Amino acid sequence: MSAAPTLDAIATETRDASELTGVTVDRIAQITKQMNVLGLNARIEAARVGQQGAGFALVAEEVRKVSGQIGDIANELGDTLKARLSGLENMVSALSVAATGTRLVDCAFNAIDLIDRNLYERSCDVRWWATDADLVHAAQTRSDAALRQASARLGVILDAYTVYSDIWLVGMDGRVLANGRPETYAVAGADVTRASWFDAACAVTDGDGFVAGDVETSALLRGKKTMAWATPVRAGGARNGQPLGILVTQFDWAPQADAVLSSLRFCANDGVMRSYLVDADGRVLAAHGPDAEKVTQLTLPANTPHGWAENGTVLTGFHRTEGFETWAGKGWYGVIERL
């Protein structure tokens, strides 16, 4: 079963046809030139033999006229065909670029959609676990026994949900009360009031709310790239209960983001491909592909949710988040480059 022709293959065939047309016209021109030479020689020979060659001279003149007409027709046909084939080649090439650009946009959407689905689940996790009775009790009493139980409980959650580096129970004063991996991250007692998510988490008004932090490098997690999710732990685990503390889940960003980008599938003839997850300001949050890790900032068209652009030999497709379920997204983009 033969493979379906691609636009690149059609463009190549069109280019080959144009070259063949040029060769054919050149051959016709060569034959016409030869006929002209034959006609000229015939006229010279007819003149040499005098009256007896008059009829031959007439034939020679007709040969010259016909060869001239053939030459004119060949030249006109060649110019017309070359122009039409050149136009067709340009149209097919433009269509090929547009089709590739559209496919890159689709891949960019797949990237951002996959991470959005993942992040939606993270928003559910933090709100659900904040109602855990052991965590509520620990935040309320702050007794050593209750905090040890809370740490053990968080450890059980971490064993089941491997997408997190750690989970913290934080007091409303900004001190970490307990965490799920104390043997790995000695964060208990650390002051996190200056964390980008802290004030916003304290301001969450009910159990449906949460804060999704930015992707950042955490000194408390030994330099890991993390995305903090936070929501208050409330009295009785009630939706509108009094805030007792804050539950913070530390999403292990790098491996999860790389898993999303490396799952994208490209065609064998696509060439060098790079994929990115980018925040609303163009900051690269994750990158995959040859030398992609060297890229830290991308400039995308303003106020354009999705599209593609060609810059020299680089074709770029991008798509802004559309969110998933109750997760509205953070204005991030999926971006795909074909080099």
Side-chain angles (χ1 to χ4, degrees):
M1 180 175 172
S2 60
T6 64
L7 287 173
D8 285 341
I10 294 172
T12 300
E13 288 293 326
T14 304
R15 187 165 52 251
D16 292 345
S18 180
E19 293 174 357
L20 180 61
T21 297
V23 171
T24 302
V25 170
D26 289 343
R27 290 180 63 188
I28 293 175
Q30 185 178 3
I31 293 171
T32 301
K33 183 177 179 180
Q34 291 174 343
M35 290 182 66
N36 275 325
V37 171
L38 289 174
L40 178 61
N41 289 337
R43 292 177 64 191
I44 293 172
E45 185 65 21
R48 189 180 67 81
V49 300
Q51 186 65 30
Q52 293 178 348
F56 192 53
L58 179 61
V59 173
E61 178 62 19
E62 289 301 314
V63 169
R64 186 190 66 80
K65 290 181 180 180
V66 170
S67 66
Q69 292 173 348
I70 293 174
D72 291 342
I73 293 172
N75 289 333
E76 183 180 352
L77 177 62
D79 291 342
T80 301
L81 286 178
K82 285 180 181 178
R84 295 293 296 274
L85 286 171
S86 178
L88 179 60
E89 180 182 347
N90 291 337
M91 286 190 290
V92 172
S93 296
L95 182 60
S96 177
V97 171
T100 301
T102 300
R103 185 163 58 83
L104 295 186
V105 174
D106 290 340
C107 288
F109 172 75
N110 287 340
I112 195 63
D113 185 57
L114 284 171
I115 201 66
D116 274 338
R117 290 169 183 265
N118 193 325
L119 297 183
Y120 163 71
E121 293 181 5
R122 308 293 69 85
S123 73
C124 296
D125 290 346
V126 70
R127 287 176 289 176
W128 170 33
W129 296 335
T131 66
D132 185 274
D134 287 333
L135 302 183
V136 172
H137 180 63
Q140 189 165 27
T141 67
R142 297 199 181 192
S143 70
D144 290 342
L147 292 176
R148 284 195 299 271
Q149 178 60 28
S151 179
R153 176 63 176 153
L154 293 176
V156 170
I157 294 174
L158 286 169
D159 289 340
Y161 289 80
T162 57
V163 298
Y164 295 104
S165 298
D166 202 6
I167 306 177
W168 302 345
L169 178 62
V170 178
M172 297 304 292
D173 59 357
R175 295 286 177 180
V176 178
L177 302 175
N179 67 308
R181 289 184 174 141
E183 70 286 352
T184 304
Y185 307 112
V187 298
D191 182 355
V192 295
T193 53
R194 294 186 179 181
S196 59
W197 45 264
F198 180 76
D199 288 340
C202 291
V204 171
T205 58
D206 60 47
D208 292 328
F210 62 90
V211 173
D214 295 325
V215 175
E216 54 191 7
T217 301
S218 173
L220 291 176
L221 295 175
R222 297 182 177 178
K224 272 184 171 289
K225 278 191 174 182
T226 186
M227 182 180 180
W229 297 76
T231 195
V233 174
R234 298 178 181 276
R239 177 175 296 176
N240 297 309
Q242 177 187 358
L244 303 173
I246 299 171
L247 183 68
V248 185
T249 61
Q250 300 287 359
F251 182 54
D252 193 5
W253 172 257
Q256 312 310 322
D258 187 68
V260 167
L261 294 181
S262 61
S263 71
L264 301 176
R265 293 291 175 263
F266 304 112
C267 299
N269 61 348
D270 276 336
V272 179
M273 305 292 289
R274 296 199 297 217
S275 51
Y276 306 90
L277 293 171
V278 179
D279 73 9
D281 296 321
R283 180 172 66 105
V284 173
L285 304 175
H288 184 83
D291 293 326
E293 73 282 355
K294 297 178 181 179
V295 181
T296 59
Q297 188 77 26
L298 291 174
T299 301
L300 300 175
N303 303 317
T304 305
H306 53 78
W308 59 271
E310 192 174 15
N311 183 12
T313 59
V314 180
L315 190 63
T316 303
F318 59 92
H319 204 296
R320 190 166 61 199
T321 176
E322 292 184 352
F324 181 74
E325 296 290 348
T326 57
W327 166 245
K330 291 173 67 69
W332 294 354
Y333 290 81
V335 181
I336 309 295
E337 287 183 339
R338 188 191 72 174
L339 306 183

